[in-house]
Amino acid sequence: MDVSVVSREPRADLLAVLVREGAKLPDLGLGDLVDRVAREEEFKGAENAVLSLHTHGKIAAQRLALIGIGREKDAERTLEQLRNAASRAVKLAKAAGAKTLAISSPVTGDRQVQALAEGASLGAYVFDRYKKEKKPFKLQRVQILADKSLTKSARLGVEIAAAVNLARDLVNEPAGKVTPRALADEARKMARAAGLRCDVLSRAQIKKLGMNLFLAVSQGSAQEPQLVRISYDGRGRPVALVGKAITFDSGGLSIKTAQGMEDMKADMAGAAAVIAAMKVVAFLKPPFPVRAYFGACENLPSGTAYKPGDVIAGKNGTSVEVLNTDAEGRLVLADVLSWAVEETPAAVVDLATLTAAILVALGPWITGLFSNHDALATEMLSAAKAAGEPIWRMPLPPEMEELIRSPIADLKNTGGRYGGAINAALFLQHFVGKTPWAHLDIAGPASVDKERGYNPRGGTGAGVRMLIEWIRRRAQA
Ligand code: BES
Ligand code: MN
Ligand code: ZN
């Protein structure tokens, strides 16, 4: 599906006209027909409202769909309204068997055109690789009506959406396919295509680096762990991105219930997001270096598995008493974060499907943000808002440290039932030193159980757009 910008209304199988709630309907060359039908159907442009009609050859488009975008609130909300409407337009075009779609929007600045292109490409996503019968997808061309000079913005929107869709694919692929090695191969493949460097380190090299926490998590699995670093070069201090990459989380010996494991192929969504973000970094070419890191492995029980009660010291020397082998993500992240901060990055951001507790706290769609640095937290909140990703800052209360103190080691890997997302974040904080750090707990939004707006059921690519927006802004600053 090709997305482009055209300056005059093209011939199209479907013309989608986005309408603000309460606004006068545009003159579409159909006399008062549109106004009449809108009145009859009580279409007022409310968000998500749709009015479809046949044009019977009276205008260039065969069909017309008015799509409501609701009232104007603020600039960020407008972008989200446009993403949703463009996605809706693509879905209508698909259902109608249209080959070409034109989108006309009441607002068409650079950010708005980018959002329309994003929404169209995100809404077109399907994961049907394993279906015998695939729903036909005839839509070949989406044309956004706007000034031709905005072609660049549409292009950026398409690039971003393609990266999000890559992350979605990686999350949706079953764990039998996306093994640690396969995930490392995907990173290498992306890096090669984008002209980035990618280093993949074997178990022996991980051992040499002293990453015993990472190795402990991986030791119950027959699959070799893989430590991956993707590098984009530039001047000055790098920005570091770290993703959780448990390709399957059974819980290990502290095994999960059957239901608790159903979606644990998605436990590498953080890594999927950083791989995807690096693809766009290569496109954006910020002046500073950007590195992405992940430690990929499976968390499985077996005769060689790590055990509750084990005491292990990782790369930065901090010893950890493992009380629950299902709190594995923080152990792997501890070592990978320790490695990432050795390069003294200007900031390190980790993305992880870290805790079920963040779902209890914030619900299924909101990312939890934790940070040791207020300015960085503010940057991340505002980038997420512009990118249309819901996020909420959570506290890192020092007085809760006692919950993760072990009687026999420096730390333990669980802190009890209450405040589970917070004590996981407090745990990670021990491994970032003084580096400005933001931790994004994406356990909720990374994978969802039903379609919602431009997000499909399953993997959503959560985190990718906010990371890109954050890097884009730092590149401009
Ligand atoms: N990967 C899970 C967290 C998770 C749960 C993500 C549900 C998405 C949906 C993580 O490794 C985990 O198992 N966390 C435990 C920690 C607990 C044992 C301290 C949890 O949150 O229950
Ligand atoms: Mn777990
Ligand atoms: Zn996990």
Side-chain angles (χ1 to χ4, degrees):
M1 194 184 83
D2 177 66
V3 181
S4 58
V5 173
V6 293
S7 52
R8 280 194 304 133
E9 200 171 310
R11 224 161 242 302
D13 297 331
L14 176 70
L15 169 64
V17 178
L18 315 194
V19 195
R20 275 259 179 248
E21 187 165 355
K24 193 162 147 297
L25 298 180
D27 178 11
L28 297 165
L30 288 167
D32 67 346
L33 177 72
V34 178
D35 279 301
R36 259 184 14 238
V37 181
R39 213 169 314 123
E40 275 161 27
E41 306 278 317
E42 294 187 42
F43 175 89
K44 298 194 182 79
E47 211 164 339
N48 293 319
V50 171
L51 183 76
S52 296
L53 53 159
H54 246 283
T55 63
H56 299 289
K58 292 201 182 80
I59 58 172
Q62 284 204 348
R63 288 161 185 272
L64 181 64
L66 301 187
I67 302 178
I69 59 172
R71 295 198 186 274
E72 186 170 349
K73 302 213 170 74
D74 55 44
E76 282 85 16
R77 188 76 193 92
T78 295
L79 297 179
E80 189 63 358
Q81 288 163 329
L82 297 179
R83 285 184 201 97
N84 275 315
S87 153
R88 174 59 76 90
V90 162
K91 285 173 191 186
L92 290 170
K94 236 174 96 177
K99 283 209 187 89
T100 54
L101 164 69
I103 301 179
S104 149
S105 162
V107 271
T108 56
D110 52 353
R111 303 310 307 274
Q112 291 85 13
V113 167
Q114 182 192 329
L116 289 166
E118 270 175 32
S121 313
L122 291 171
Y125 179 83
V126 278
F127 187 74
D128 59 2
R129 193 166 297 171
Y130 298 106
K131 290 263 196 198
K132 202 181 324 164
E133 258 168 54
K134 306 183 199 310
K135 296 221 178 83
F137 190 85
K138 297 207 190 118
L139 188 59
Q140 289 168 355
R141 203 160 62 217
V142 178
Q143 295 175 307
I144 299 166
L145 274 156
D147 194 275
K148 269 294 214 182
S149 66
L150 298 169
T151 297
K152 279 196 305 293
S153 306
R155 175 82 204 285
L156 176 60
V158 168
E159 283 292 328
I160 293 171
V164 172
N165 288 341
L166 166 64
R168 290 171 171 182
D169 273 345
L170 292 176
V171 171
N172 288 332
E173 282 289 349
K177 181 110 182 283
V178 177
T179 57
R181 176 159 285 127
L183 192 59
D185 286 345
E186 287 291 339
R188 223 183 332 228
K189 198 169 99 191
M190 181 286 297
R192 181 181 290 266
L196 302 175
R197 178 188 167 131
C198 182
D199 301 293
V200 179
L201 282 65
S202 66
R203 179 184 276 127
Q205 293 168 296
I206 297 167
K207 178 124 219 275
K208 222 190 232 141
L209 286 171
M211 295 191 173
N212 297 321
L213 290 164
F214 177 20
L215 287 176
V217 173
S218 75
Q219 78 191 29
S221 162
Q223 306 287 336
E224 192 185 345
Q226 308 279 311
L227 178 62
V228 178
R229 177 179 56 198
I230 309 166
S231 309
Y232 163 81
D233 286 328
R235 282 170 201 279
R237 285 168 77 192
V239 154
L241 311 176
V242 175
K244 175 172 172 182
I246 302 297
T247 61
F248 186 74
D249 181 12
S250 72
L253 287 169
S254 312
I255 199 159
K256 290 180 183 293
T257 60
Q259 214 198 343
M261 268 181 234
E262 279 177 7
D263 200 29
M264 281 302 121
K265 67 173 184 182
D267 215 16
M268 36 54 75
V274 304
I275 294 170
M278 289 306 283
K279 183 168 143 70
V280 187
V281 166
F283 176 81
L284 286 175
K285 300 190 170 49
F288 48 79
V290 184
R291 311 259 184 269
Y293 303 82
F294 63 87
C297 70
E298 297 180 320
N299 185 23
L300 294 180
S302 76
T304 60
Y306 77 139
K307 304 167 188 71
D310 280 353
V311 175
I312 304 147
K315 184 164 186 33
N316 91 344
T318 305
S319 63
V320 180
E321 184 185 14
V322 176
L323 291 181
N324 191 318
T325 62
D326 197 12
E328 83 297 340
R330 67 197 72 181
L331 301 176
V332 178
L333 287 169
D335 276 342
V336 180
L337 283 167
S338 304
W339 193 39
V341 299
E342 280 181 5
E343 230 196 322
T344 58
V348 59
V349 180
D350 78 76
L351 289 88
T353 47
L354 200 62
T355 66
I358 199 70
L359 280 121
V360 176
L362 299 179
W365 304 315
I366 302 180
T367 293
L369 164 70
F370 299 83
S371 181
N372 62 357
H373 193 276
D374 288 341
L376 175 60
T378 305
E379 285 176 21
M380 204 51 78
L381 290 170
S382 111
K385 192 171 180 219
E389 295 204 72
I391 188 167
W392 194 259
R393 187 170 181 187
M394 300 281 290
L396 284 167
E399 63 274 23
M400 271 177 72
E401 285 286 344
E402 69 173 62
L403 298 181
I404 54 169
R405 232 170 267 139
S406 158
I408 67 165
D410 300 323
L411 295 173
K412 56 186 182 183
N413 77 333
T414 58
R417 239 157 63 70
Y418 299 127
I422 298 174
N423 61 48
L426 285 171
F427 183 94
L428 295 182
Q429 192 171 23
H430 284 268
F431 302 88
V432 298
K434 293 213 160 29
T435 308
W437 159 71
H439 158 57
L440 300 166
D441 194 334
I442 56 170
S447 175
V448 296
D449 60 13
K450 61 171 197 289
E451 177 183 305
R452 201 166 156 263
Y454 53 78
N455 277 323
R457 194 208 70 85
T460 61
V464 176
R465 286 180 296 131
M466 69 172 100
L467 280 182
I468 292 165
E469 182 62 19
W470 175 66
I471 289 171
R472 213 177 62 85
R473 290 173 176 213
R474 281 182 83 102
Q476 280 165 357

